[in-house]
Amino acid sequence: MYRNIKKIGFSFLLAFLFLSCKNEDHGYHSVMDKIEGEGKSYKGVSVSSESYIDHIKTMEITTGEHTFLIPERKSKIKSYKCTECHAKPLKETQLTGSAKKAHWDIGIVHADKNTMNCISCHNGDVMDELKSLTGNPIDFNNSYILCSQCHTKQFKDWEGGAHGKRIGGWAPPRAALTCVNCHNPHDPHIASKWPVRYNSVKAEERK
Ligand code: HEC
Ligand code: HEC
Ligand code: HEC
Ligand code: HEC
């Protein structure tokens, strides 16, 4: 008898819990609303990347079938805006002979001289923009387009997320570093490194 009362009581409890869950569900108009509403945080923990990247100024790009965020560049370039000095087309101001160049500290350690000089990438007439090989303007914030012309493989890998580095978390929105965050466009090679941890096989190879 007593056991039965307990059973009934328990069933009531179950029914109550079940109903109260249902009521909470009804706080949303549709299941899509619910996913939206509850997707933002799980048990009080944010499942959005936003909080990890909100200290970085980012911009959204769409390339191929991918849309993601990359860091903004222009505010990071020391001598931008270039037109503060480059008011006239480069041809009229360029130095010849042995005079010390304005950008003497920039040398190209990239492709060889036949393939590349300063104005392969910079627009001598409108210095605030980069330019494609065919002369189309490219914004300094979108310099990955410049690189993509010659480095198709790495560019495709980067678009898909296989080359470079994702920043923030794995939850959306997707944010990734852009080419010039890691490669200096004037000297882009990154030297190989040995692993930090001691590895006896590598030590043997190095002998
Ligand atoms: C403080 C002034 C100043 C600023 C700022 C400046 N430049 Fe220059 N730059 C010059 C002068 C002057 C020359 C021409 C004399 C020379 O060839 O050295 C020059 C030359 C150049 C050249 C041709 C170099 C060569 O060897 O033919 C390029 C390319 C160039 N600048 C790019 C830029 C870009 C891109 C920016 C902005 C990100 C910029 N400059 C900002 C002063 C400046
Ligand atoms: C392969 C393409 C490429 C070539 C070649 C190139 N640049 Fe650049 N340059 C860039 C890009 C891209 C940036 C912007 C990088 C960034 O976002 O930090 C840049 C930035 C600069 C800046 C601004 C640097 C700063 O931090 O203030 C100057 C000045 C400049 N370039 C001058 C030159 C000169 C002079 C030459 C030739 C000796 C040259 N560049 C050759 C792609 C190139
Ligand atoms: C006009 C074609 C051209 C453009 C534009 C260009 N590159 Fe290059 N890049 C080359 C060539 C050619 C080489 C040297 C050959 C090689 O190693 O693939 C090279 C070499 C490199 C390397 C070194 C590869 C190594 O051996 O480690 C890196 C990294 C690189 N480029 C990155 C960039 C980035 C980032 C940009 C955009 C800012 C860029 N390149 C724009 C043609 C280009
Ligand atoms: C998070 C940093 C990072 C970003 C972003 C990045 N790269 Fe790289 N990249 C590297 C490193 C590190 C290497 C050297 C890999 C090695 O030596 O094994 C490399 C290698 C390269 C090479 C040499 C060939 C190779 O695969 O080893 C090229 C070319 C290149 N990157 C182009 C690009 C271009 C173009 C972009 C943008 C579309 C880009 N990278 C974005 C870090 C980066």
Side-chain angles (χ1 to χ4, degrees):
M1 176 66 183
Y2 177 65
R3 282 184 120 199
N4 277 346
I5 291 176
K6 246 180 137 180
K7 258 192 196 161
I8 293 166
F10 189 60
S11 313
F12 268 117
L13 185 67
L14 274 183
F16 173 73
L17 283 177
F18 183 69
L19 283 174
S20 59
C21 285
K22 267 209 125 169
N23 280 340
E24 258 176 40
D25 278 0
H26 285 192
Y28 299 99
H29 293 295
S30 70
V31 73
M32 289 316 284
D33 280 358
K34 189 181 168 202
I35 293 169
E36 280 272 290
E38 298 191 356
K40 295 251 158 56
S41 82
Y42 178 71
K43 295 187 176 167
V45 179
S46 164
V47 291
S48 160
S49 266
E50 271 157 18
S51 58
Y52 303 111
I53 50 169
D54 59 10
H55 61 291
I56 305 171
K57 199 169 165 199
T58 52
M59 37 173 269
E60 190 177 87
I61 60 159
T62 296
T63 161
E65 53 198 41
H66 305 276
T67 296
F68 54 98
L69 301 170
I70 59 170
E72 179 271 353
R73 281 307 297 169
K74 282 193 239 184
S75 65
K76 304 280 177 200
I77 302 174
K78 212 176 4 158
S79 42
Y80 193 83
K81 281 187 153 196
C82 321
T83 44
E84 289 195 11
C85 294
H86 290 275
K88 290 187 199 152
L90 191 58
K91 280 192 211 85
E92 295 171 29
T93 54
Q94 216 159 11
L95 295 174
T96 47
S98 59
K100 192 166 180 178
K101 295 249 179 199
H103 306 292
W104 53 272
D105 54 336
I106 296 177
I108 306 178
V109 190
H110 195 161
D112 66 54
K113 270 192 260 171
N114 289 326
T115 315
M116 193 184 271
N117 61 20
C118 308
I119 52 167
S120 307
C121 302
H122 292 286
N123 185 341
D125 295 329
V126 190
M127 204 55 97
D128 286 343
E129 286 169 356
L130 294 163
K131 74 168 175 51
S132 77
L133 297 171
T134 53
N136 289 329
I138 297 172
D139 193 282
F140 269 96
N141 279 336
N142 298 332
S143 54
Y144 63 90
I145 298 173
L146 183 73
C147 318
S148 75
Q149 301 174 106
C150 304
H151 301 292
T152 326
K153 186 186 164 287
Q154 288 77 13
F155 172 68
K156 284 276 163 213
D157 287 349
W158 174 79
E159 267 187 326
H163 187 103
K165 182 178 162 60
R166 184 163 177 148
I167 47 178
W170 290 108
R174 177 185 160 197
L177 293 180
T178 187
C179 315
V180 291
N181 285 130
C182 301
H183 297 285
N184 175 346
H186 307 129
D187 184 4
H189 176 71
I190 294 178
S192 322
K193 294 185 184 114
W194 290 104
V196 174
R197 282 181 61 187
Y198 186 72
N199 179 326
S200 56
V201 179
K202 288 285 168 207
E204 202 55 43
E205 275 176 24
R206 265 181 270 177
K207 273 183 188 165

